[in-house]
Amino acid sequence: MKLTIGEKIAILRKERDVTQTELAEYLYLAPQTVSRWEVGSGSPEISLLPRIAAFFGVSIDELFGLTSLERTEDLVLKYSVLRDDRSFREAMGYINSQLLTIEAAMKNGGEDHRELERDMERLEAEKVHMWIQQGREAFDRALSIADEFVEKTEGDLEHNWYLPMRLQQDQLCHNTGRSRETLAERRKDFEECPDDTSLLRYLAMLGHRQEYEAILEAVDWDKAAGLLFPPREGNLSSWREIMNAAAGLRNEDFIERYLPTVLEVCGKGEEMDFLLCVMDVYDGGKLEAAKARVRELLPDSGLSGYFQDKVRERLEGALEA
């Protein structure tokens, strides 16, 4: 049962061997006032709470009988309601502080480790919950921006961000749990108006859902085949989705059948992207040939020094594997 503030004051007072008169004198009150609080006939004024807490060396939360874990739950709930950055930082900061306190207590010993471990697990669970909520909130915000942009650029096919933002919108729909209905919309759009854009958006949604078999089947669709063959600059993004699916399925035969023709129309940067995409499927001589070609293309790929280093690390990883 949760204590009243008067009952908590009585406990703190007795623990510290303080009389009602001594507390009353500190607060410039009559001893009878403190007595009434402790028997439940009244409560301290709000303005007195900081002074009472300071007198006993506790927080106002503790004065109200609120444990650290209960305080954590309150802060997490506050963020769940307000969904603002300040509430997130406040709750996460408090959780991290409590975790550090528990870790120190466990190192020092003297307390029940099992209880401390349970408290730590509970705090970690709250932390995961916070990050999930923060992620959902961030995705919702991003999706709102993407929706507005898509509406604003409707019909403006020449806009630099026309396609990239629509692809981003689809990915955000997937991330926010709207994957199935978005996939149905993309398939409907492609069937009703088959072009490079509608095909790419449909294949990309299948990729988000890791429906790789369905992506490879696209090569045999009449409507898709007319857009995919012959490979050209305008359909390379769709081919990238297809090759990524083939790599995910480790379908080397499919890659060997179609990749050479695709690479014929690629620039150096694009060729390197395709080779990196499928490289993990290869081994032996094919792997060495792919790596050698990537090394040859890398200086002219247009990548910054940082990303070139990342590619070299990838090549070393493929060598170790």
Side-chain angles (χ1 to χ4, degrees):
M1 183 176 69
K2 193 167 183 177
L3 299 174
T4 66
I5 188 170
E7 290 171 330
K8 184 65 176 179
I9 288 173
I11 290 173
L12 292 170
R13 184 177 58 75
K14 293 172 183 177
E15 284 178 348
R16 289 157 176 77
D17 197 23
V18 173
T19 66
Q20 291 180 343
T21 299
E22 288 171 331
L23 176 58
E25 288 177 355
Y26 172 77
L27 299 171
Y28 301 106
L29 299 172
Q32 294 86 345
T33 302
V34 175
S35 177
R36 286 197 297 270
W37 296 344
E38 294 184 0
V39 297
S41 297
S43 299
E45 293 181 6
I46 293 176
S47 60
L48 292 174
L49 297 180
R51 296 194 67 207
I52 297 172
F55 181 82
F56 290 118
V58 299
S59 67
I60 292 179
D61 287 334
E62 290 175 280
L63 194 60
F64 278 97
L66 196 64
T67 67
S68 297
L69 290 176
E70 289 172 333
R71 172 64 172 159
T72 299
E73 290 178 351
D74 282 351
L75 289 174
V76 171
L77 179 60
K78 177 182 175 183
Y79 172 69
S80 299
V81 173
L82 297 181
R83 298 293 182 90
D84 63 343
D85 294 337
R86 181 177 179 179
S87 298
F88 178 84
R89 290 193 300 269
E90 183 182 15
M92 195 62 77
Y94 193 81
I95 290 172
N96 289 333
S97 175
Q98 292 304 307
L99 286 171
L100 289 174
T101 300
I102 291 174
E103 288 174 3
M106 294 178 71
K107 289 179 181 178
N108 294 333
E111 294 190 50
D112 186 344
H113 269 230
R114 287 177 297 179
E115 183 175 349
L116 290 172
E117 287 175 356
R118 285 194 295 270
D119 288 348
M120 179 175 282
E121 290 167 357
R122 185 171 170 184
L123 287 166
E124 291 287 6
E126 293 286 11
K127 195 171 184 177
V128 170
H129 176 70
M130 286 288 296
W131 280 118
I132 290 174
Q133 288 208 74
Q134 175 79 342
R136 288 172 178 166
E137 178 68 14
F139 280 133
D140 286 339
R141 291 180 186 177
L143 181 56
S144 177
I145 294 171
D147 288 343
E148 291 177 6
F149 184 92
V150 167
E151 183 178 355
K152 182 176 67 175
T153 58
E154 187 63 40
D156 187 5
L157 303 181
E158 300 303 316
H159 196 290
N160 289 339
W161 287 93
Y162 178 87
L163 179 57
M165 191 60 80
R166 281 159 174 77
L167 291 171
Q168 188 68 72
Q169 180 191 43
D170 292 342
Q171 182 177 4
L172 288 166
C173 285
H174 170 72
N175 292 337
T176 53
R178 306 169 213 183
S179 180
R180 182 176 298 180
E181 53 265 44
T182 303
L183 177 63
E185 291 173 7
R186 297 291 79 81
R187 182 181 181 98
K188 182 174 180 290
D189 291 344
F190 172 70
E191 291 175 344
E192 293 180 353
C193 185
D195 59 19
D196 288 337
T197 297
S198 61
L199 175 60
L200 174 57
R201 292 185 72 180
Y202 180 46
L203 293 178
M205 273 306 301
L206 288 171
H208 294 322
R209 293 169 57 84
Q210 297 186 347
E211 296 186 21
Y212 296 147
E213 292 284 0
I215 292 177
L216 298 195
E217 291 170 2
V219 175
D220 298 321
W221 302 340
D222 290 339
K223 289 182 179 180
L227 296 167
L228 292 171
F229 297 101
R232 52 188 167 76
E233 183 179 355
N235 62 25
L236 285 181
S237 293
S238 290
W239 274 109
R240 190 173 291 108
E241 292 291 340
I242 293 169
M243 287 300 160
N244 184 65
L249 295 170
R250 305 193 68 80
N251 190 331
E252 186 175 347
D253 290 341
F254 184 97
I255 293 170
E256 288 297 296
R257 180 179 178 186
Y258 293 107
L259 183 59
T261 306
V262 173
L263 294 183
E264 289 177 3
V265 298
C266 288
K268 291 182 178 180
E270 293 161 337
E271 181 181 355
M272 189 180 73
D273 285 345
F274 274 105
L275 290 173
L276 288 171
C277 174
V278 304
M279 192 169 58
D280 290 341
V281 178
Y282 294 148
D283 57 18
K286 289 183 180 179
L287 174 60
E288 291 304 318
K291 287 164 53 181
R293 180 56 178 163
V294 170
R295 290 194 184 95
E296 181 182 345
L297 294 167
L298 189 56
D300 299 320
S301 63
L303 294 178
S304 67
Y306 172 81
F307 285 107
Q308 288 194 32
D309 288 342
K310 290 298 180 182
V311 171
R312 293 188 184 96
E313 289 177 11
R314 168 84 185 280
L315 294 177
E316 291 303 317
L319 177 62
E320 293 172 4

